[in-house]
Amino acid sequence: MSQISSQPLSKASENEQRGLLRRVAGASAIGTAAEYYDFFAYGTAAVLFFGQLFFPSHDPLISTLAAFATYAVGFLARPLGGIVFGHIGDKVGRKKALVITILIVGLGTFCIGLLPTYEKIGFWAPVLLILIRVLQGFGVGGEQAGAVLMTAEYSPPERRGFFASWVQIGAPLGFLLPSALFALLTSQLSAAQMLDWGWRIPFLLSLLLVIVGLFIRLRIDESPVFAEIRKTKAVESRPVVEVIKLYPGIIVKGVCAKLIEACAFAMFTVIVLAFGKANHLSESILLQTMIVAVILEIFSIPLMGKLSDRIGRKPVYMAGAVLLAVGIIPFFLALKLDIFWVTQIAMIVALTFGHSMCYAPQASYFPELFPTRIRCSGIALIWQIGSLIGSGILGLVAVKILQMTGGDYHGLAIYMIVLGVVSVIGLALLPETAPRRRGSEYHSWKQ
């Protein structure tokens, strides 16, 4: 297996190289932000509005359940998108895949803001919503892999964990933007106005994110590592087939490692709102503490990325997985007290530390597991299958679990604990890849 190139990016000066790396990281992060903007705009709207607007029912919980089902549907298309755009990224180029995916994801979010509701067109309203979600899931399937890969391949090996982790900041930013918009709108508009037209504004404003992201991405060059293998005609003709044939064990273990992180962010930022609703907890306390924890995560992500350069990807990632699995029951117990400072501490432990310790190393860890010619396909498979199981299925079953248990948290906690155990096992079986820390276990299969 070839490593990510450690050769200089170009003959340009060190300052120019740093400027180039910042542009690449910014271009990648903006796409991640667009992806998560959709994720949280839809998740928030599903809890607060979409049940009534697209899935009307006499039982509000049934309406919410139906709205969350369409949220989960988007995840079903992700593995297919990962396969298609992984192929494009490995065969045609990382940059082309990133341009296409941001258009698909961003325009899909914008179109949701234009959709007529069930009251206007009846059955076709939820059908159109589901179709857009599937299309978005398809685009997202290739977005994240390409985004982290571009930055990882531009980064100097000894600091790859730090620089690649900056792409992951797009996740908290993508959460904060729609959350702030919904909070502002609900404070300025009446409940009737929000239900009538106010909910559309965050979706329509996503177009600005797409325009900025597209502008930045069109200005960056192709990954120098990919450009090098394309020049030597070493591009793989069937990258998806090749990566499955050569690295099935790495893919399975990587998917296992991904599960806890995918579950955690959805649990602590989307599902928790449904839990609060079922238990009559203060929505303002949940949202305010969540926002503070996510703001702090913007700073903790690069710190955890830097830590992964120093002590290794596995120790940081595994510590986060253990913290999330062990801390999930205390987390829900803290939330049930419905006290601001207690909920705030729980959110900071779970999101600022637990999630970032898993999320930050992924951006460098997963790319380092595969050779250049099939790297995009390998990352996409791990990322999207893991997201489907960890987050997509959770979105599908979480509200149903709450409905069946009368709002009890034990079903949700068991789901996360099981995924945490699976992730720890997967991580234990994977090699260390950080250049400063990798040893014989890495080199024994690297070739």
Side-chain angles (χ1 to χ4, degrees):
M1 187 186 84
S2 7
Q3 299 178 44
I4 297 178
S5 174
S6 58
Q7 297 299 315
L9 300 181
S10 68
K11 295 180 180 179
S13 68
E14 187 176 336
N15 288 337
E16 289 174 331
Q17 292 178 19
R18 287 178 179 173
L20 177 60
L21 183 53
R22 283 195 294 268
R23 289 198 301 274
V24 172
S28 300
I30 199 75
T32 306
E35 173 194 344
Y36 279 95
Y37 185 102
D38 159 68
F39 183 87
F40 292 111
Y42 189 90
T44 304
V47 173
L48 302 177
F49 308 110
F50 282 0
Q52 302 172 66
L53 294 171
F54 292 94
F55 306 93
S57 169
H58 295 299
D59 184 345
L61 197 54
I62 295 295
S63 296
T64 303
L65 176 60
F68 262 94
T70 60
Y71 160 86
V73 161
F75 284 89
L76 297 177
R78 284 190 176 198
L80 178 59
I83 290 171
V84 172
F85 288 106
H87 178 88
I88 293 173
D90 284 328
K91 180 76 173 170
V92 182
R94 323 304 199 202
K95 178 180 175 179
K96 287 183 175 64
L98 285 176
V99 169
I100 297 169
T101 53
I102 196 173
L103 283 172
I104 293 174
V105 175
L107 293 178
T109 307
F110 177 76
C111 288
I112 288 176
L114 300 175
L115 277 182
T117 62
Y118 188 92
E119 184 183 12
K120 301 290 185 184
I121 60 172
F123 167 78
W124 289 106
V127 168
L128 290 173
L129 183 61
I130 291 170
L131 287 175
I132 292 175
R133 290 294 298 167
V134 169
L135 185 62
Q136 283 182 308
F138 180 74
V140 166
E143 167 61 42
Q144 191 76 52
V148 299
L149 184 50
M150 276 290 277
T151 308
E153 289 185 335
Y154 265 99
S155 303
E158 68 281 358
R159 302 192 68 194
R160 187 175 295 126
F162 172 71
F163 284 114
S165 71
W166 282 84
V167 179
Q168 310 294 63
I169 292 175
L173 285 176
F175 166 81
L176 291 171
L177 290 172
S179 298
L181 278 171
F182 274 115
L184 177 64
L185 290 167
T186 51
S187 68
Q188 299 296 317
L189 302 176
S190 67
Q193 287 174 318
M194 281 300 298
L195 199 60
D196 184 29
W197 55 269
W199 66 270
R200 298 180 183 274
I201 295 175
F203 291 94
L204 296 175
L205 288 178
S206 68
L207 189 61
L208 297 177
L209 199 59
V210 177
I211 293 171
V212 172
L214 189 60
F215 175 75
I216 295 174
R217 285 190 172 180
L218 287 172
R219 295 182 66 205
I220 62 172
D221 294 326
E222 182 55 81
S223 157
V225 180
F226 179 80
E228 183 181 334
I229 67 165
R230 185 166 58 185
K231 188 188 301 180
T232 59
K233 299 183 179 179
V235 175
E236 180 58 52
S237 60
R238 297 185 302 165
V240 176
V241 174
E242 191 73 6
V243 76
I244 293 173
K245 184 171 73 173
L246 294 178
Y247 299 100
I250 295 298
I251 292 172
V252 171
K253 295 167 198 172
V255 168
C256 290
K258 173 70 179 174
L259 294 179
I260 186 65
E261 180 275 318
C263 176
F265 209 51
M267 181 77 79
F268 299 138
T269 56
V270 176
I271 307 304
V272 72
L273 295 176
F275 172 77
K277 198 171 185 179
N279 286 274
H280 309 290
L281 302 180
S282 169
E283 190 176 284
S284 62
I285 288 179
L286 286 176
L287 286 172
Q288 289 171 33
T289 56
M290 197 187 299
I291 288 171
V292 171
V294 172
I295 290 173
L296 293 175
E297 191 178 18
I298 292 174
F299 301 96
S300 67
I301 284 175
L303 291 176
M304 296 305 169
K306 187 172 184 177
L307 187 62
S308 79
D309 283 327
R310 290 180 176 273
I311 69 173
R313 318 290 186 223
K314 286 176 65 173
V316 178
Y317 202 145
M318 198 173 291
V322 171
L323 177 59
L324 290 170
V326 171
I328 187 61
I329 291 178
F331 173 83
F332 279 117
L333 291 175
L335 259 58
K336 291 196 75 171
L337 295 176
D338 210 21
I339 300 172
F340 182 87
W341 68 269
V342 176
T343 302
Q344 185 66 82
I345 293 173
M347 286 288 185
I348 290 174
V349 171
L351 271 170
T352 307
F353 292 102
H355 180 258
S356 69
M357 291 169 78
C358 296
Y359 195 51
Q362 281 182 9
S364 51
Y365 195 21
F366 293 161
E368 288 169 337
L369 291 170
F370 300 99
T372 304
R373 71 185 192 281
I374 53 175
R375 188 172 289 142
C376 196
S377 297
I379 302 170
L381 287 173
I382 287 177
W383 212 288
Q384 301 316 327
I385 295 173
S387 294
L388 172 62
I389 300 170
S391 193
I393 293 177
L394 176 65
L396 188 61
V397 304
V399 179
K400 187 63 178 177
I401 289 173
L402 291 171
Q403 181 193 28
M404 293 173 62
T405 60
D408 188 83
Y409 65 85
H410 285 96
L412 299 178
I414 290 170
Y415 188 91
M416 176 166 277
I417 290 170
V418 170
L419 294 191
V421 171
V422 173
S423 289
V424 169
I425 293 172
L427 285 164
L429 296 174
L430 283 170
E432 178 59 67
T433 63
R436 294 183 186 178
R437 296 295 175 184
R438 63 187 177 217
S440 59
E441 58 171 333
Y442 179 83
H443 291 288
S444 64
W445 58 269
K446 180 172 71 69
Q447 302 302 326

